[in-house]
Amino acid sequence: MFRRTFWFTAGAAAGVWATTKVHSKLRRLAPESLAAQAADKAVDAGHRLRDFALDVRAGMAQRESELGEALGLDTPVDRELPAQRRLAVEGRVERRRDDHGPGADAYDHHDHSDRLDSRTPHNRNEDH
């Protein structure tokens, strides 16, 4: 009797676990969820590309000034990074996820892992 009860309970628990896993996988593979994930990855790629371009510009300006000094040019090239990027490179900008005000860091990378939360609408075209 106890043996049957044990196996019945184990089977029921395994069924509940499997059902939960299948439903969570189906939610993640829904078209709206996949679209939100793709859009988030595209935004993150754009942020990385912009950071790379700014780093290249900073390196170019630094190398150009080094070459100007080495060649003895009288007019030093004064190309400076934008204020927010310069502060970020120097490590003086504090990055916060919830700061979108006028003083927000323009190069802040957001973690969009909460997009799959059931309370968040997945339709990007929906008026909020």
Side-chain angles (χ1 to χ4, degrees), residues 1-18:
M1 180 68 179
F2 288 113
R3 196 172 173 186
R4 287 183 186 171
T5 305
F6 170 77
W7 287 113
F8 177 78
T9 306
V16 169
W17 176 80

Side-chain angles (χ1 to χ4, degrees), residues 8-71:
F8 177 78
T9 306
V16 169
W17 176 80
T19 303
T20 304
K21 286 291 186 179
V22 167
H23 283 298
S24 68
K25 184 63 92 171
L26 286 175
R27 265 194 312 265
R28 277 188 272 143
L29 294 176
E32 297 87 16
S33 178
L34 292 175
Q37 289 175 8
D40 290 340
K41 287 183 181 183
V43 168
D44 289 342
H47 287 304
R48 286 193 305 271
L49 183 61
R50 179 179 50 202
D51 287 344
F52 175 73
L54 289 171
D55 289 341
V56 168
R57 274 193 222 140
M60 286 177 13
Q62 179 183 0
R63 182 65 180 146
E64 192 170 339
S65 66
E66 289 172 0
L67 289 173
E69 289 174 9
L71 295 174

Side-chain angles (χ1 to χ4, degrees), residues 1 3 11 19 21 51 87 112-113 115 117 119:
M1 180 68 179
R3 196 172 173 186
T19 303
K21 286 291 186 179
D51 287 344
L87 294 175
H112 296 288
S113 61
R115 291 272 185 200
D117 188 3
R119 294 170 284 156

Side-chain angles (χ1 to χ4, degrees), residues 82-96 99 103-108:
Q84 288 293 328
R85 181 66 180 162
R86 184 178 64 249
L87 294 175
V89 168
E90 294 172 0
R92 293 190 302 187
V93 171
E94 191 176 310
R95 294 180 180 209
R96 298 183 323 194
D99 186 9
D105 185 11
Y107 305 102
D108 190 15

